[in-house]
Amino acid sequence: MKWWRHVVDLSHPISPEIPVWPGDPRPAFTTLATIAGHGYALSEIHIGEHTGTHVGTAAHLQPGGVTVDQLEPEDLIVPAAVLNVSERALSDPDFTLSVEDVRAWEARHGRVPPDSLVLMATGWDARWPDPTAYLNADDQGVMHFPGFAPQTVTWLVDERRVRGLGIDTPGIDPGRDAGLQSNRRLLRGRHIHLENLTRLTGLPPLGAWVIIGALPWVGRTGSPARVLALIP
């Protein structure tokens, strides 16, 4: 008998039109065989490791870091702590989650569990799949979307021992941070990030479990993923 009541798909569909990080390849699909011509259908897929809803590992930013094929099964099935900041992010595209914000959440819901995945629900996924609205770059090319402050990432890793972070924006770093400081503080050891998630605002603060369907590409830094949340 299953223990969950609902399954929520936290993944965006992948097509050539979806938003991609500036400079990343756009997804492309080439037909190699058709049912009419060959008796079966087959396509070739060209896609970046960090395209669409995806998981990233330490190898993304750390030489010699853990690659996606080196993740253990238990790294891919994790409990979630969900911080819904959508009202604040709606009024401030540059909203950055602080340690004080997390402490205020803990005062209402309890301590962030160790080995959990902290998910920041901003509501930014409503802008998908419009690349202009989703990346939200200004005239100088600087992107503006919510993210985790670097010091918050350090605190969550060191003080709450979280497994990883996830968000419904293009990245866990605030869009203005071209240096990716939050990612650099997170992606060490077996920590992971999940980016370009969706439907996070529909998850409870605690209780959901996240299943990350990442492809175990040998030596690669990440993978597009089908991410599902099980809600009891």
Side-chain angles (χ1 to χ4, degrees):
M1 182 176 181
K2 66 182 185 181
W3 58 265
W4 64 90
R5 292 183 300 114
H6 303 291
V7 180
V8 180
D9 193 342
L10 306 182
S11 319
H12 288 290
I14 298 174
S15 73
E17 295 77 28
I18 65 172
V20 296
W21 193 265
D24 282 8
R26 188 165 296 283
F29 305 89
T30 302
T31 299
L32 300 181
T34 64
I35 294 176
H38 303 83
Y40 63 93
L42 178 68
S43 295
E44 178 181 87
I45 300 173
H46 177 75
I47 194 168
E49 296 169 297
H50 297 261
T51 297
T53 303
H54 66 271
V55 59
T57 66
H60 186 41
L61 293 171
Q62 304 294 336
V66 171
T67 55
V68 68
D69 59 299
Q70 294 173 333
L71 294 174
E72 299 292 343
E74 55 265 29
D75 295 323
L76 302 174
I77 304 177
V78 289
V82 184
L83 282 67
N84 190 334
V85 299
S86 55
E87 289 188 8
R88 297 169 69 181
L90 181 65
S91 60
D92 181 10
D94 294 315
F95 173 79
T96 303
L97 190 75
S98 67
V99 174
E100 290 71 24
D101 293 324
V102 181
R103 288 191 180 277
W105 181 92
E106 289 185 325
R108 297 190 300 272
H109 305 292
R111 191 180 177 96
V112 172
D115 292 322
S116 63
L117 184 69
V118 174
L119 302 177
M120 182 174 164
T122 72
W124 202 259
D125 53 326
R127 297 174 175 239
W128 188 280
D130 182 345
T132 300
Y134 192 68
L135 297 176
N136 199 33
D138 60 27
D139 293 340
Q140 285 72 47
V142 177
M143 295 181 288
H144 297 270
F145 52 79
F148 291 83
Q151 58 269 29
T152 306
V153 176
T154 299
W155 185 82
L156 286 168
V157 170
D158 293 345
E159 301 298 328
R160 294 298 181 262
R161 305 295 180 183
V162 300
R163 183 78 57 86
L165 304 177
I167 198 166
D168 51 8
T169 73
I172 66 165
D173 299 274
R176 294 183 296 177
D177 182 8
L180 306 178
Q181 292 305 306
S182 292
N183 256 309
R184 294 185 189 283
R185 297 191 186 196
L186 173 67
L187 293 182
R188 299 174 183 274
R190 308 196 70 81
H191 294 104
I192 60 172
H193 73 214
L194 291 174
E195 298 175 331
N196 295 323
L197 293 167
T198 187
R199 303 183 187 92
L200 293 183
T201 55
L203 301 184
L206 288 171
W209 280 75
V210 174
I211 299 176
I212 305 164
L215 296 173
W217 288 335
V218 175
R220 300 304 97 197
T221 70
S223 170
R226 189 72 178 264
V227 183
L228 305 175
L230 305 182
I231 303 175

